[in-house]
Amino acid sequence: MAKSKIRHMLVIRLSAMGDVAMTVPVLLALTEKYPDVKITFLTKPFFAPIVSEIPNIKVFIADVKGAHKGVLGLWKLFKQLKSLDVDAVADIHNVLRSNVLKVFFRFSGIPFEQLDKVRKEKRELTSGKNKELKPLKPMYQRYQSVFERLGFHFPINNDHVLKSRNITTEFACDVFSDAKKVIGIAPFAAFPGKIYPLDFMETLIADLSAIEDVKIVLFGGGQNERTILEGWEGKFANCISAAGKISFKEELELISNLDVMISMDSGNGHLAAMYGVPVITLWGVTHPVAGFVPFGQPEENQITSDRKKYPLIPTSVYGNKIPPGYELVMETLAPEQIVTRALQILEKV
C-alpha cells in the first residue's frame, strides 16, 4: 500500500523497556515528516509513559496476562484494533504474539510489515570462536526499515529526542535543588554478564561522590537492588537512591534532567538517550557492534571489556550466555576510566 493511502497505522512493540525507548527517535522522525498520519502504538501498560509525549501517538494497552491472553485473547485484541480502522501495521517486535496478530490482519487484507531479527547475523557475531567483528545495523535503523517497507521514508538525526520533562515532584525538586551536576547510575541489568562487579561499582561511586559539585542518583528495581542502593546512599555523601521511592513516570522526569547517565547495556541507558542525555555504557559479554548502543551516543561513551583477554566477546546479544572463564570480563573496566569520561562530559555541560 502506498503511504498516501495510509492514514492510520498500528505500531506493535510490546516489550522490553529499552527497546520501546529505542523506538522514540524513529517515531519522532516519522511524525515530523508525516504529521497527518495517525499512529496507534500497541504496548504493555508499564511502557505507555515512554511514548505518550510523541505527537499523533495514541497508546493502546495490550492486556497479555488478562483479556488478551492466549490465542482467543489475541483474537479479541485483533477485533478491537481492527475496529480502529487501521490501514497498515508496522510490527517492530516480531514475537509469537505479534505473529498471531499478523495472521489475523493479513487474512483481513491489511498490510503487515515486520522487523527483521537478523538471527543468522546474530549467531555469527556471537559464535564461540575468534571472529571479526562485523557491526550489525543499529536497532533504530532496523525499526526505520519496517516503516520504509510501508512507503514511509524519513531521515533520523540526533535532534529526534524528547524534551526534558518539567520538574514537578518533591523527590526531583530535592535532587535538583542546588547547582550541582547530577549523574545517574543504573548498576544493574537483566543478566549477570552485563553487571559491573559491585565492589568495582562501589569504588566508582566513591570516586564520583568525592568530586565537588557532583550529585549521584542511583536507579534500580527489585528489593535486593534497593537494599544495595540504599547501602550506598547511606555510605556516600551526595548519593541518593531513587529505587522504590517514585513511580516510573516520575523516574522519567528525573532521568530526562540528568547531566549524564552511567548505565550497563540496559534499559536505563536507552531511557536517558531518548531525552538526549549523554550516556556512558559499560559493556560486559555484550558489545556495541550488536546494534544496541543508546541513540545518539558517540563511540567514546562505550566502555567495552578487553577483547584481547576475552576474544569471544560478544558471547551473546543479550548477555545471557557466559562461557567458562568469562565471568569476570567486566573487571577489565577500571573505575578511573569511567570517572575520566564522566568528567569530560560534565566539562561540556
Side-chain angles (χ1 to χ4, degrees):
M1 179 182 287
K3 65 179 181 298
S4 60
K5 296 182 180 180
I6 298 177
R7 293 285 178 259
H8 186 185
M9 178 166 44
L10 173 68
V11 178
I12 301 175
R13 182 72 232 191
L14 296 171
S15 63
M17 183 172 70
D19 295 279
V20 176
M22 282 188 283
T23 69
V24 168
V26 183
L27 295 173
L28 285 169
L30 172 64
T31 55
E32 178 182 86
K33 180 72 177 292
Y34 302 98
D36 296 330
V37 176
K38 179 182 176 182
I39 296 174
T40 295
F41 192 88
L42 179 68
T43 193
K44 294 179 182 178
F46 183 80
F47 304 122
I50 296 175
V51 298
S52 61
E53 294 181 285
I54 302 175
N56 297 342
I57 299 284
K58 183 176 181 180
V59 176
F60 194 102
I61 298 301
D63 183 13
V64 297
K65 294 183 178 181
H68 303 141
K69 183 179 180 180
V71 175
L72 292 178
L74 290 173
W75 173 250
K76 179 180 179 181
L77 174 60
F78 161 71
K79 290 193 294 183
Q80 292 173 329
L81 294 169
K82 191 171 182 293
S83 70
L84 301 177
D85 294 324
V86 297
D87 302 308
V89 182
D91 175 15
I92 55 175
H93 199 177
N94 192 350
V95 290
L96 180 59
R97 288 189 180 97
S98 62
N99 278 298
V100 173
L101 290 173
K102 176 177 69 175
V103 174
F104 297 152
F105 276 104
R106 284 189 170 172
F107 187 75
S108 299
I110 296 174
F112 195 109
E113 292 291 342
Q114 283 186 301
L115 174 72
D116 179 3
K117 304 196 86 167
V118 293
R119 289 186 174 91
K120 179 176 180 293
E121 291 87 344
K122 288 178 181 177
R123 285 196 299 270
E124 292 175 352
L125 185 65
T126 59
S127 63
K129 58 184 180 182
N130 293 346
K131 65 251 177 176
E132 178 186 353
L133 292 188
K134 296 181 179 179
L136 302 183
K137 183 184 291 187
M139 279 304 300
Y140 78 90
Q141 291 182 7
R142 287 165 52 198
Y143 294 153
Q144 185 182 20
S145 297
V146 179
F147 296 106
E148 288 176 343
R149 293 198 295 275
L150 287 170
F152 295 93
H153 299 274
F154 50 93
I156 303 177
N157 58 58
N158 289 355
D159 292 329
H160 289 119
V161 292
L162 294 169
K163 295 180 181 178
S164 58
R165 294 183 174 225
N166 292 330
I167 298 172
T168 59
T169 66
E170 182 178 352
F171 187 90
C173 287
D174 288 342
V175 169
F176 298 102
S177 61
D178 48 35
K180 292 184 177 182
K181 303 290 178 60
V182 182
I183 300 175
I185 301 181
F188 303 104
F191 299 105
K194 300 196 295 184
I195 299 177
Y196 200 41
L198 294 183
D199 53 340
F200 280 55
M201 179 57 72
E202 183 166 319
T203 298
L204 174 62
I205 293 171
D207 291 347
L208 289 172
S209 66
I211 299 172
E212 188 178 359
D213 296 330
V214 164
K215 185 178 293 185
I216 299 169
V217 181
L218 304 172
F219 297 90
Q223 184 56 53
N224 184 53
E225 294 181 9
R226 293 181 192 178
T227 300
I228 293 170
L229 298 183
E230 287 168 2
W232 287 334
E233 178 184 46
K235 188 172 184 178
F236 300 108
N238 300 317
C239 185
I240 304 167
S241 173
K245 299 176 182 177
I246 53 177
S247 68
F248 179 55
K249 189 174 181 179
E250 292 169 335
E251 191 171 299
L252 292 178
E253 177 181 315
L254 194 58
I255 289 173
S256 72
N257 285 281
L258 294 173
D259 292 299
V260 62
M261 168 69 89
I262 299 173
S263 172
M264 309 301 103
D265 171 20
S266 64
N268 282 287
H270 297 294
L271 292 175
M274 76 180 188
Y275 290 105
V277 174
V279 179
I280 298 172
T281 304
L282 311 186
W283 300 85
V285 296
T286 58
H287 196 277
V289 293
F292 290 90
V293 172
F295 179 77
Q297 303 302 314
E299 183 178 351
E300 52 266 34
N301 284 8
Q302 315 311 314
I303 313 296
T304 57
S305 297
D306 188 352
R307 288 195 73 248
K308 291 182 179 179
K309 187 174 182 180
Y310 299 100
L312 299 185
I313 294 175
T315 65
S316 69
V317 172
Y318 304 109
N320 56 331
K321 296 178 182 178
I322 307 175
Y326 276 62
E327 296 83 3
L328 303 179
V329 296
M330 294 191 86
E331 289 191 0
T332 62
L333 308 182
E336 297 81 8
Q337 180 184 8
I338 304 164
V339 171
T340 297
R341 183 56 192 154
L343 289 175
Q344 289 171 345
I345 293 173
L346 292 179
E347 286 176 0
K348 299 178 182 179
V349 174

